[in-house]
Amino acid sequence: MTYAREMLDSHPGTVAVDADALVECIEACFDCAESCSACADACLGEEEVSQLRRCITMCLNCSDVCAMTGRVVSRQTEFEPAMARAALQGCAEACRLCAEECETHAQEMNMEHCRVCAEACRRCERACSDALSAVGA
Amino acid sequence: MTYAREMLDSHPGTVAVDADALVECIEACFDCAESCSACADACLGEEEVSQLRRCITMCLNCSDVCAMTGRVVSRQTEFEPAMARAALQGCAEACRLCAEECETHAQEMNMEHCRVCAEACRRCERACSDALSAVGA
Amino acid sequence: MTYAREMLDSHPGTVAVDADALVECIEACFDCAESCSACADACLGEEEVSQLRRCITMCLNCSDVCAMTGRVVSRQTEFEPAMARAALQGCAEACRLCAEECETHAQEMNMEHCRVCAEACRRCERACSDALSAVGA
Amino acid sequence: MTYAREMLDSHPGTVAVDADALVECIEACFDCAESCSACADACLGEEEVSQLRRCITMCLNCSDVCAMTGRVVSRQTEFEPAMARAALQGCAEACRLCAEECETHAQEMNMEHCRVCAEACRRCERACSDALSAVGA
């Protein structure tokens, strides 16, 4: 059992949205924040760094957005659907943009860190969309 | 002259959006991230903390969203309008929600830190809307 | 296999410190950032919130420190031992302080979210100490 | 008057350390978080990006450390000197390392964004040292 599940199960209040969707979303956000920060660093270390500027920027942006979203949706004491929706929509979009960029380099430049990062981004994009449905659009 | 203006003026590339709107947005985001984090702490220190749960949550959320947005819009090397729009829309919404909450406590409970924080939030809401227009919706 | 391990294995450069210690540290930092943010929110939702002010503050601080440290130590392209040491020392201290506070409430007030959070903090404190040894003090 | 000063003056509790040193430290941290994030982006946009890998890494690290420190020291409700010291020491070190790196590029490569960023780092290094004295080592 992960911390996100345990923390949610021990919350004193009523959790406002479907717990499974929420747990998956929180974990996907923190994992993606980690992967994107690491992928920006790995891209910076590549010999072809000058061809990876857009990838580094997308990864830094996506890492910041995911870290923010993971925190916002895990705050359940005074859950505000309008706030959650804004965060989740932005995060799904950031993950989509970053995944597209990383997938290009995974395929064309055979970069394994971009392949792993794209996987983390696609999972997070899906988890944010599912959480968005759970919150109610 | 502020750092945000100097950093933008010395950027090696072409800045993708109106510089005045961008500088004001970057500064408003970092200032609001600071004010909201401080207001959450001040609310926590009030005797009536149990009546301020929603305010603390809105402030923590808004601080996280503003810190993220300030970074995303200041990245100009590979500026992606879709990413900027998602961040700015979410930030304007977070600032509006937090301002409304803080304004209530400024008026009804006479809380000066909420009055100052609401001012920072309204300024940032406006700056994000203006930057959004500059990016093109 | 976790993303942290896969990202490290696919890094283009030489990883500067023991990979096992590094992976455990990165994962512990991101997990603890998540747990501490959630525990601050859960404490805020408790009826006895006025007795939990110190716990909320320690959790917010620890979450910020862990999020920062997880990113700093995962940057391996231009790894700077002095920077890593400063981050790891601060993080071990933040985790120790937060764990002590949460352990008190887990025991005296029977708060399950504090018990889980203390566990995440102690794991992260240990992982930072081990990573510190791996970097070389 | 800045928000940091107004927020501190309206805090319901007693501020634990010298207010002037604290306000300067909070503002310097948020300004430096902003400048370092912008300098990493500007360096990424330079033609000689492959010579600026260390500068980009130091800037990303310093931005994360400053953002964390600005929040930690602004939390005055349950101020914990040991936590403040750990954050301030780490931040002074991060700022020193980043300033040294940026100063090199300001001089040798005539990079204006590195000159501005080094200035923000040196100011923040000094503000953290002064706040550290105010907290008591």
Side-chain angles (χ1 to χ4, degrees), chain D residues 90-119:
Chain D
C91 196
E93 178 72 349
C95 289
R96 188 185 64 78
L97 288 163
C98 193
E100 280 179 7
E101 188 65 25
C102 281
E103 282 160 3
T104 309
H105 305 299
Q107 283 157 21
E108 291 176 12
M109 298 169 87
N110 204 24
M111 288 188 177
E112 176 67 7
H113 50 81
C114 283
R115 193 197 58 71
V116 177
C117 190
E119 194 183 301

Side-chain angles (χ1 to χ4, degrees), chain A residues 37 40-41 43-50 52-54 56-57 60 64 71, chain D residues 37 40-41 43-50 52-54 56-57 60 64 71:
Chain A
S37 186
D41 176 69
C43 286
L44 185 66
E46 294 285 353
E47 226 179 307
E48 307 90 334
V49 58
S50 63
L52 293 165
R53 286 186 178 103
R54 183 173 157 91
I56 292 172
T57 304
L60 292 175
D64 285 338
R71 286 182 165 193
Chain D
S37 187
D41 176 69
C43 285
L44 185 67
E46 293 284 354
E47 225 178 308
E48 307 90 334
V49 58
S50 64
L52 293 165
R53 286 187 178 102
R54 185 174 155 90
I56 293 171
T57 305
L60 292 175
D64 285 339
R71 286 182 165 191

Side-chain angles (χ1 to χ4, degrees), chain B residues 44 46 49 53 57 71, chain C residues 44 46 49 53 56-57 71:
Chain B
L44 186 66
E46 294 285 354
V49 58
R53 286 187 178 102
T57 305
R71 286 182 165 191
Chain C
L44 186 66
E46 293 285 353
V49 57
R53 286 187 178 102
I56 293 171
T57 305
R71 286 184 166 189

